[in-house]
Amino acid sequence: MPAWLALLYVWPIGMLVAGSLQAGGLGNYLAVGQRVDFLRLLFNSLWISGWTVVLGALVNSLAGYALARLQFPGRAVLLGLVLICMVIPFEAVAAPLFYSVSRLGLRDTLGVQILPFVANGVSIYLFYTFYLEFPRELEEAACLEGAGPWQIYGRLVLPNSGPVLATHSVITLLSSWGAYLWPLLVTAGPQARPLPLALANFMTTPPLHWGQIFAFGVLMVVPVLLGFGFLQRYFQPGSLTSGIK
Amino acid sequence: MVSPAVLGLLLFVLAPFALSFLISFTDLSLGSPHPMHWVGTLQYERLFHDPALARALANNLRFALVVVPLQTALALALAVLLHRPGWRLAGLYRAIFFAPVVFPMSLVAVIWRYLYAPGLQGPANRLLSWLSLGHWQARDFLHDPEWALGALMALSVWQGVGLQMVILLGGLQQIPSDLYEAAALDGAGPLQRFRRVTLPMLRNTLIFTALMTSILAFRVFDQVQILTHGGPAGATSTLMFELVRSAFERLQMGRACALTVLFVLIVLLLTGLQRLALRQRAL
């Protein structure tokens, strides 16, 4: 069975963890804190990813819900727009955005690493397809009681969106936490720099000490592992039907 | 209700792209004292005759031609092997193969730079030497023009296969089990069931994951920037690496935006191919 392949697969991860404890032991972790302002970098990454996930959940679920349920002029055009934006990767707008951000003097801010990633075609489509399948009876009942679309969305739809919120959060968290290209373009100093870029800089800043580099790596992956582990529990297709009862 | 999302998409996707299209017809340069000029299709003509870009695109294409089939086959094999309802270890294996997906590419690149260390002290060289019973000649993977691109492919597959695997596992779970039972009653062996039931039922999921990976092959950047910087001698340069170098290191916005337009055309072409493949009826 795939046992040997699994071993080969965990080998680099095992090497990362073991390496972070070699030639210095736990001191490697302390040395990271002495060589860089790790708390600052961690805060930057948490702040950027946190707001991207939360704002994205609100903005994209609202749009997905409206597209799935409300009839309004221009709906078909907007759906087409979402489909187009879905296939255009961020790299396609990196150069012109970099130009605009530089001209506006917005480099080296955290906001410029959040806002471009909030509205997202893939996420909108994810919410849209989820809400198409959402049982109409619940909304109709609420509608009869006099609730408007905003109330239905806030009190009924969003609280019952667990699985799709988890999916949105997982994909957004992974891409946001790992972002490298955009921070490389828009950050010059450490004050707004996120962890991946700081890790690459840490590796090339002498002295080359692999124990410390690996300790940095472990520290950087732990938060996203925790976040993923937490989201995975809510990542259940059954949670939708449990909301109906 | 849609307005925040529409605003976001207009401001950060459509407007920048339109701007990019416009800038690609100029000689705009960041920080240059000279005024901008309209240069017509000059940027595109230059790109057309640019050997560095040809090299980069060839690398992207090689990357796609190796990584897409390899990663899809590996992900499919893993998904089929792990799709055994009630098997306790399946969850553990799934976690192991999915783990690298959670790792940022920058960290993956850092780990693999260590693995690729030259000489027999390098873990990858040591492993290959051990596997080949000492016949392996130690290489400096990342500085060897013959090996550098392959080295980047290997770590990309390592990081990417888990995501394809879970998507395919999701597809496998959707296949009704009575199809397998009917095929078994008709006397189909495991191999035939795979060919006659699994593959056709998984067709659309496979097309989707293959497209996802081929677009990723044209987005490759992080590992190039961190590990090889396009070298040795352009052996690992890619479209995105060229683009960032134009925009960021040389501040040639006109060229960078022309490269952006080219990139979008490639992505649209790949997406169009996917639509065609999906529309064609399964045989």
Side-chain angles (χ1 to χ4, degrees), chain A residues 63-70 72-87 121 124-129 132, chain B residues 2 6 9:
Chain A
Y65 178 68
L67 286 171
R69 279 294 191 265
L70 306 182
F72 55 92
R75 186 183 155 279
V77 178
L78 282 184
L79 198 56
L81 177 89
V82 170
L83 289 175
I84 292 172
C85 292
M86 247 180 99
V87 296
I124 296 175
Y125 195 74
L126 208 65
F127 283 107
Y128 167 72
T129 49
L132 281 181
Chain B
V2 285
V6 171
L9 292 181

Side-chain angles (χ1 to χ4, degrees), chain A residues 9 15 81 91-92 95-96 196 228, chain B residues 14 98 106 158 161 219 253 260:
Chain A
Y9 242 77
M15 192 155 282
L81 177 89
E91 284 85 342
F228 179 76
Chain B
L14 294 182
F98 189 79
S106 51
W158 181 75
V161 87
R219 295 169 63 182
M253 290 312 299
T260 296

Side-chain angles (χ1 to χ4, degrees), chain B residues 141-195:
Chain B
F141 294 98
L142 295 172
H143 295 100
D144 185 330
E146 303 232 329
W147 285 84
L149 189 64
L152 295 187
M153 289 176 188
L155 68 93
S156 309
V157 170
W158 181 75
Q159 202 239 9
V161 87
L163 186 62
Q164 278 205 17
M165 178 194 74
V166 292
I167 295 175
L168 290 173
L169 266 170
L172 283 176
Q173 276 152 10
Q174 306 256 311
I175 302 177
S177 56
D178 33 324
L179 278 181
Y180 287 105
E181 285 156 24
L185 279 180
D186 287 344
L191 200 66
Q192 272 192 312
R193 287 201 294 264
F194 176 73
R195 277 189 50 201

Side-chain angles (χ1 to χ4, degrees), chain A residues 83-166:
Chain A
L83 289 175
I84 292 172
C85 292
M86 247 180 99
V87 296
I88 297 185
F90 174 75
E91 284 85 342
V93 295
L97 263 187
F98 165 64
Y99 175 70
S100 315
V101 165
S102 307
R103 285 296 296 268
L104 296 171
L106 293 173
R107 291 182 69 188
D108 271 323
T109 58
L110 293 175
V112 86
Q113 297 175 71
I114 299 169
L115 282 180
F117 304 95
V118 170
N120 180 289
V122 175
S123 263
I124 296 175
Y125 195 74
L126 208 65
F127 283 107
Y128 167 72
T129 49
F130 180 81
Y131 293 137
L132 281 181
E133 307 273 311
F134 200 79
R136 266 179 194 276
E137 304 83 57
L138 283 174
E139 290 159 74
E140 278 158 10
C143 207
L144 284 178
E145 286 165 23
W150 285 92
Q151 279 171 314
I152 295 180
Y153 167 81
R155 297 215 189 122
L156 185 70
V157 173
L158 198 59
N160 283 304
S161 303
V164 67
L165 283 172

Side-chain angles (χ1 to χ4, degrees), chain A residues 8-244:
Chain A
L8 196 67
Y9 242 77
V10 286
W11 178 53
I13 300 177
M15 192 155 282
L16 170 76
V17 179
S20 76
L21 294 167
Q22 266 163 16
L26 285 171
N28 289 335
Y29 287 84
L30 296 175
V32 171
Q34 281 157 5
R35 284 179 61 187
V36 296
D37 187 355
F38 192 85
L39 285 181
R40 174 86 224 175
L41 301 167
L42 180 67
F43 168 80
N44 289 345
S45 272
L46 285 173
W47 184 265
I48 293 167
S49 297
W51 281 114
T52 309
V53 168
V54 170
L55 289 177
L58 277 174
V59 165
N60 298 320
S61 70
L62 266 174
Y65 178 68
L67 286 171
R69 279 294 191 265
L70 306 182
Q71 295 301 323
F72 55 92
R75 186 183 155 279
V77 178
L78 282 184
L79 198 56
L81 177 89
V82 170
L83 289 175
I84 292 172
C85 292
M86 247 180 99
V87 296
I88 297 185
F90 174 75
E91 284 85 342
V93 295
L97 263 187
F98 165 64
Y99 175 70
S100 315
V101 165
S102 307
R103 285 296 296 268
L104 296 171
L106 293 173
R107 291 182 69 188
D108 271 323
T109 58
L110 293 175
V112 86
Q113 297 175 71
I114 299 169
L115 282 180
F117 304 95
V118 170
N120 180 289
V122 175
S123 263
I124 296 175
Y125 195 74
L126 208 65
F127 283 107
Y128 167 72
T129 49
F130 180 81
Y131 293 137
L132 281 181
E133 307 273 311
F134 200 79
R136 266 179 194 276
E137 304 83 57
L138 283 174
E139 290 159 74
E140 278 158 10
C143 207
L144 284 178
E145 286 165 23
W150 285 92
Q151 279 171 314
I152 295 180
Y153 167 81
R155 297 215 189 122
L156 185 70
V157 173
L158 198 59
N160 283 304
S161 303
V164 67
L165 283 172
T167 310
H168 155 84
S169 306
V170 167
I171 58 172
T172 311
L173 175 67
L174 292 186
S175 70
S176 182
W177 194 263
Y180 180 80
L181 168 67
W182 186 238
L184 177 74
L185 294 178
V186 297
T187 65
Q191 75 262 31
R193 189 172 280 166
L195 286 166
L197 193 58
L199 172 72
N201 283 338
F202 190 73
M203 182 177 74
T204 50
T205 310
L208 182 81
H209 189 302
W210 279 105
Q212 292 171 8
I213 295 170
F214 284 166
F216 193 123
V218 172
L219 289 172
M220 168 175 151
V221 82
V222 164
V224 72
L225 274 176
L226 288 176
F228 179 76
F230 170 76
L231 290 165
Q232 204 191 18
R233 284 194 290 155
Y234 294 85
F235 201 23
Q236 293 166 346
S239 54
L240 175 65
T241 43
S242 65
I244 300 172

